[in-house]
Amino acid sequence: MSFVSLDGVNHRYPDKGGGPGFLAVEGLTMNVARGEFVAVVGPSGCGKSTLMKLATGLQFPFQGEVRVAGERVTAPVKIAGMAFQSPTLLPWRSTLQNLLLPLEIVEPHRRQIRRRKSEYVARAENLLASVGLGGFGDKFPWELSGGMQQRTSLCRALIHEPALLMLDEPFGALDAFTREELWGVIRDLHAARGFTVILVTHDLREAVFLADRVLVMSARPGRIVHERRIDLPRPRDLEVTFTSEFSDIVHELRGHIVKARQ
Amino acid sequence: MNRRFDMVRAAPWLFTLAFLAIWEGSVHILKIPPFFLPPPTLVAKTFVEFWRPIYTNSLFTLSTTMVGFALAVGFGLLLGLVIGWSRTIYAGTYPLMIGFNAIPKVAIVPILVLWFGIGFIPAALTAFLISFFPIVVNVATGLATIEPELEDVLKALGASKLDIMRKIGIPRTLPYFFGSLKIAITLAFVGSVISESIASNHGIGNLMLQAQAQFQVPLVFAGLVALAIEGIVMYWLMAVLERRMTGWAQRSGFAQT
């Protein structure tokens, strides 16, 4: 029984005049098991962001069915955390206050936040410490480097202990070294907490290093054209990215992307 | 401590003094008659001589302006939030607002006089009408430019529109709002003085009109100085308020040197 499933999904964005618009995804079918780390790669504009919105219940498919945790998605799923390429932190809140934001929204924390404030603050501080930001809670986002902001954004996505983590090119705007550092952060968080991850990315090395399975999407309208299981043993060290086995997988996937672009 | 002469802090005073000096000098050198352009020394002398009427009329103008400005803040904030909240209301009110803003407010004063008589009320209402528009536009802009990703993060957690407004929309709009107050307060003075010079027996606008009718040109200029002082003080208050309320939004060092 898969945790997230999309079954024959078509999704269309109507254009402004009310015309038929364009198909963003067509016949999109994919299944993600509980606790699995799945990466979705594809040419730009292939509907990866649409996939994010469909799986979190921000939009509903035109045709087909989306199920999360066994239930058909008809409203925002509330068990998902999201992080994007830009950290989207609130500049008027300290790092710690930014982390507490989801708890002020999502039930049941929302009702309990006044009563259990100190407990939640401790939880946020633990989470910050686990990504190497211990003691930075009082800093404002603009006092942090890009990599630190992105870590904070990851923490915010995880503070309510979601069962599903949706990542939309979360490391895309970072320099190569910071990016690899954050791969380690997300790898460790996933290993420790066992949530399900759907990672949308352009970076094939990132996909292969992190994921249990890589799905290749076609150009618009997007659908899955290739699936590749990554059997590299875990825990994976960054050294694995320099092995020929790793490069072969990346190379093979790249071939599929090139085909998908045509 | 920096013991050197601080050019930036001294600049406003130096520039003002230079401006007055050039004014004074040109009047004497070019032999401009005082009923055409009085020199600043004569304006200052007149200011002291007539300080009583200038003072009472300034207070009147200040009170009409502040009442109009307060109305503009309340109404502008409310309308801005409503417009930013709903696309339909935004689309529906936009042409009306543009049209309304395009009307010269001086043309409205006779209508206000027809409805409310002369004096305090039309002056306050003109100040209100002329100054609410920038507040509305800025508040609505602040709400309209929320990052969609941030909205998604909260929506995916089940946040209602009201939640998003409270947690993101309103705090995010505050810098725009406080920024607009600086524009609105100066406009409010324009509105009240326009109305006073057309239809009032009080206020700086009226004082200047009467002085002009009696060819007391230095007194006209003294009135202008009084207005400038009021304007600067209120603008400064708004700027201080802005810095205190939204310090997080002003961390750029761009204009500080």
Side-chain angles (χ1 to χ4, degrees), chain A residues 2-151:
Chain A
S2 54
F3 186 62
V4 179
S5 73
L6 284 82
D7 192 13
V9 167
N10 289 357
H11 195 61
R12 187 191 291 279
Y13 289 101
D15 53 30
K16 281 192 173 159
F22 64 87
L23 271 171
V25 298
E26 186 175 32
L28 178 61
T29 298
M30 60 182 275
N31 293 286
V32 180
R34 186 180 282 275
E36 195 181 13
F37 198 131
V38 167
V40 180
V41 296
S44 56
C46 69
K48 288 178 298 205
S49 299
T50 304
L51 168 66
M52 298 280 293
K53 288 186 191 255
L54 290 170
T56 48
L58 289 171
Q59 288 188 359
F60 311 110
F62 198 65
Q63 265 170 5
E65 191 178 65
V66 180
R67 300 177 81 90
V68 173
E71 279 175 47
R72 195 188 167 120
V73 173
T74 53
V77 293
K78 299 183 189 179
I79 56 160
M82 299 174 94
F84 300 89
Q85 180 168 352
S86 71
T88 62
L89 301 171
L90 306 180
W92 57 88
R93 285 177 173 233
S94 68
T95 303
L96 191 75
Q97 292 296 324
N98 263 293
L99 251 61
L100 293 178
L101 178 68
L103 299 178
E104 293 167 22
I105 299 292
V106 79
E107 295 290 2
H109 307 292
R110 184 189 183 121
R111 256 174 297 146
Q112 302 168 349
I113 191 143
R114 278 169 201 278
R115 223 165 354 108
R116 297 170 58 189
K117 185 85 180 203
S118 57
E119 186 188 326
Y120 286 151
V121 168
R123 190 202 278 191
E125 276 167 351
N126 279 338
L127 194 54
L128 279 175
S130 74
V131 300
L133 283 180
F136 281 91
D138 293 334
K139 296 268 188 232
F140 282 86
W142 35 275
E143 296 175 296
L144 305 178
S145 69
M148 289 156 102
Q149 289 186 22
Q150 203 51 267
R151 286 169 203 230

Side-chain angles (χ1 to χ4, degrees), chain A residues 37 127 129-132 147 150-151 154 158 165 167 170-171 174-193 195 197 199 203 205-211 234-241:
Chain A
F37 198 131
L127 194 54
S130 74
V131 300
Q150 203 51 267
R151 286 169 203 230
L154 275 177
L158 292 171
L165 180 61
L167 301 174
F171 314 125
L174 302 173
D175 65 89
F177 295 111
T178 311
R179 191 181 308 158
E180 288 175 354
E181 216 176 290
L182 284 184
W183 290 354
V185 168
I186 196 73
R187 170 199 64 197
D188 296 342
L189 284 170
H190 176 246
R193 293 167 177 244
F195 44 72
V197 186
L199 165 70
D203 185 340
R205 291 178 65 238
E206 179 173 300
V208 175
F209 177 70
L210 287 171
R234 288 182 184 275
R236 295 175 192 159
D237 188 83
L238 207 54
E239 286 302 318
V240 80
T241 63

Side-chain angles (χ1 to χ4, degrees), chain B residues 119-140:
Chain B
F120 192 93
I121 296 177
L125 285 180
T126 313
F128 158 65
L129 290 175
I130 206 169
S131 64
F132 87 90
F133 192 73
I135 302 179
V136 174
V137 170
N138 273 282
V139 171

Side-chain angles (χ1 to χ4, degrees), chain B residues 18-63:
Chain B
F19 169 72
L20 294 175
I22 292 169
W23 178 1
E24 183 85 30
S26 348
V27 169
H28 289 296
I29 292 165
L30 303 173
K31 300 202 176 359
I32 300 172
F35 58 82
F36 192 81
L37 176 66
T41 43
L42 182 58
V43 175
K45 219 179 114 218
T46 316
F47 197 95
V48 174
E49 194 180 326
F50 288 90
W51 75 270
R52 184 99 228 165
I54 289 175
Y55 175 73
T56 49
N57 285 302
S58 291
L59 274 190
F60 183 84
T61 300
L62 187 63
S63 56

